[in-house]
Amino acid sequence: MTDPAKTLCPYCGVGCGLEVLPPAQLNKPTHRDAAGTPLWQTRGDRAHPSSQGMVCVKGATVAESLDRDRLKYPMWRESLAAPFERVSWDVALDAIVERIQTVGETLGPDGLCVYGSGQFQTEDYYVAQKLVKGCLGTNNFDANSRLCMSSAVAGYIHSFGSDGPPCCYADLEATDCAFLIGTNTAECHPIVFNRLRKYHKRHDHVKLIVVDPRRTDTAKAADLHLAIRPGTDITLLNGIGHLLLRWGALDPEFIDGCTQGFAAYTEVLRHYEPERVAERCGITLADLETAARTWAKSKAVLSLWSMGLNQSSEGTAKVRTLINLHLMTGNVGRAGAGPFSLTGQPNAMGGREAGGLSHILPGYRLVKTADHRHQVEQFWGLPAGQISPTPGLAVGDMMLALEQHRVGLLWIAATNPAVSLPDLNRTKAALAQSPFTIYQDAYYPTETADFAHLLLPAAQWGEKTGTMTNSERVVTLCPAFRAPPGEARADWEIFAEVGRRLGFAHQFNFVTSAEVHREFAQLTQGQPCDMTGISHDRLAALGPIQWPCPDPETPATAATRHDKRLYTQGIFNTADGRARFAALHEKGLAEPPNDQYPFVLTTGRLYGHWHTQTRTGRIEKIQKMHPQPFLEINPRDAQQLQVQGGEWVEVRSPRGHVRLPLLVTQNIRRGTLFVPMHWGSLWADDAECNALTHPVVCPISGQPELKACAVQVIPLAKVDLAPATAIEALPEVTESSILSAVPSS
Ligand SMILES: Nc1nc2c(c(=O)[nH]1)N[C@H]1C(S)=C(S)[C@@H](COP(=O)(O)OP(=O)(O)OC[C@H]3O[C@@H](n4cnc5c(=O)[nH]c(N)nc54)[C@H](O)[C@@H]3O)O[C@H]1N2
Ligand SMILES: Nc1nc2c(c(=O)[nH]1)N[C@H]1C(S)=C(S)[C@@H](COP(=O)(O)OP(=O)(O)OC[C@H]3O[C@@H](n4cnc5c(=O)[nH]c(N)nc54)[C@H](O)[C@@H]3O)O[C@H]1N2
Ligand code: SF4
Ligand SMILES: [Mo]
């Protein structure tokens, strides 16, 4: 028997270590698919520090999707109406090069838009940045992380002076209070949740508080569940702050020595009288006080959050308001304490490090900061001024640019926007406007392939070697353990080859991804995410390494410690070293419920499925687990509408509709509905939750409010009698001016 390959699970940002076994080694019927074909197998890697041998159902079954419906060859068509025909890589690459040149001459560099993904490896991200932002001179590279954690990035930058989650998973087993807000950790970060839950169960004094309008599996395990009205997080957090201030439950030494802006913050807190807060949030005063008292009493508070905060038109403000509580109580930079953003995708963190959003550059640098641009230009051997000083388009703005015919080439890779972007009917219309779309994916069909002129087959997980960084800043090497199917190629190789064909032979003379990584790591030198001590070789020899790791000579014992925290000295990455309080009031939902659309619809995930199902929809076990989409509704709302569980309804927003069977459950608060995000047009008819969502974004992070829009519900039997959906004026969508520099005050 050969040794299993050690790698990382390619799904969520927990970043569990996996061991992979080839089909030939296993001869059990359970390891064959329905057709009898032997399957690759995965199991937890006990040596991985983040997951310690644990995996959830997704990691355990991922290998089953490796050979299902793969895109194997470049495919080309003249127009969206024509069928695809197979072409050679040469023809495909020549067509891309010619197109990029034409667009450059006609529309200028900003006529090119590239939309990537937190499912890239860091090497893919890095080569793409060098090509797009460096050689081609446009910052129009954005990623699906814009929909995912850009508010967390903006919150960290504004409060701490730079991005970077300061905590590590060891904090899960060192905290006195885990404050989970806007995260269904049990279903979406299951192994983080397992670690936390075990510790919570064993230690009576440890408290678990969950803030979520739904009684999720996460909430069910909590000591206190605050089922707040959607969008009222800032009021809740300021309400807790108000009580902490009233009780004097502060850390004056930390506030005085390490922060700025406390006075203005307390001025805001004055307005958050507990009675008013409880009423606004739709919770009891007693529960609000219990939450605040737990913060006050706990020596170490660890807050975990994800999309319930980030996916909001005030996402950055929500994140900063949460960080305020940590600053006022000195809960940062210590064991068991800190504001911990859980990243969604397996390498959203690597994307941040490599500069994979339209306003950032590799090594936690910002497009707007002249020094940062010059450092990168110099390092890349490009003339001064080559990197544009203007942040590029965020993905929502790319859609607007398509509508306005300002895009000559759209290049989409490792994401499925024809399911995952908001306001999907309008989005699809915009995608259909693109004069030339390249779609680089591992699977076919997917919904976005319908909008492509050129399909490029991507090697995926296990077919290319690269690195990924998980939520706790641990970098794991993910080696290729099998050959890509057909002619599929690694994303970084495709970007590099296009670069060479455009004449940048010197910039893209990489032969292996280890070389790409070496170059990238050098560019992080002296930056908060310093990884100069990390290389493919060291990762292969030592196993996963947590950053910062600035020294290639770091002895193995130190390099393999995984409990490094940031800001342990109370010195932050702002000019004066002080963290910033934010003095912010709640603004509320961009589209509050109204007479015509009386419900708030929220959207999210289920335990077994991954996003748009390109893999999990092709795995029997998971299909059986979640066979169909549904609408969650509270029993009293169902009663009022005179509908029963299992009955079909039409849900309408001002932008579109879906048709779903009802799941009547106490687990959702009155007035709120929930639809899982996993069913695009390939997997069900009329079930795309993004047909309903609106495109309004947080003005600072550019992240859309995917967690709330106003809808009405009509029993299907009565649909023909109901008035037609009025297409109301959308909340105005203008180009977002995303975060570009740290505020000076
Ligand atoms: N099983 C599974 N796991 C995944 C993924 C997957 O597709 N499937 N995807 C990964 C990715 S990319 C991501 S980003 C993460 C997402 O992980 P999570 O953020 O945990 O998942 P979601 O279900 O999107 O949303 C979390 C919760 O936010 C709540 N919420 C809605 N509105 C509000 C609000 O106004 N305030 C508060 N406090 N809460 C609110 C919802 O009820 C929901 O339970 O999961 C990752 N893990
Ligand atoms: N309503 C609503 N919408 C949402 C959300 C929500 O909570 N509610 N969540 C948002 C969030 S947080 C996220 S992260 C997005 C996710 O949305 P998407 O990014 O659209 O979803 P995925 O299904 O993960 O798409 C990833 C694609 O990459 C392909 N792929 C996998 N590996 C590789 C590779 O190595 N190379 C290449 N080229 N392709 C590869 C897969 O086959 C798949 O087609 O959805 C967002 N949309
Ligand atoms: S918790 Fe996340 S990383 Fe771990 S096995 Fe499950 S999906 Fe994979
Ligand atoms: Mo995400």
Side-chain angles (χ1 to χ4, degrees), residues 592-600 652-655 710-712 724-728:
N594 53 50
D595 286 349
Q596 199 187 353
Y597 299 99
F599 291 96
V600 177
R652 293 174 179 176
S653 83
R655 296 158 294 276
V711 299
Q712 56 181 222
T725 312
I727 303 296
E728 288 185 340

Side-chain angles (χ1 to χ4, degrees), residues 622-643:
I622 291 178
Q623 275 293 22
K624 279 191 194 137
M625 194 181 242
H626 307 294
Q628 64 170 2
F630 53 85
L631 178 77
E632 262 184 25
I633 189 169
N634 180 280
R636 287 172 65 194
D637 288 331
Q639 202 179 20
Q640 207 162 30
L641 289 165
Q642 298 180 323
V643 287

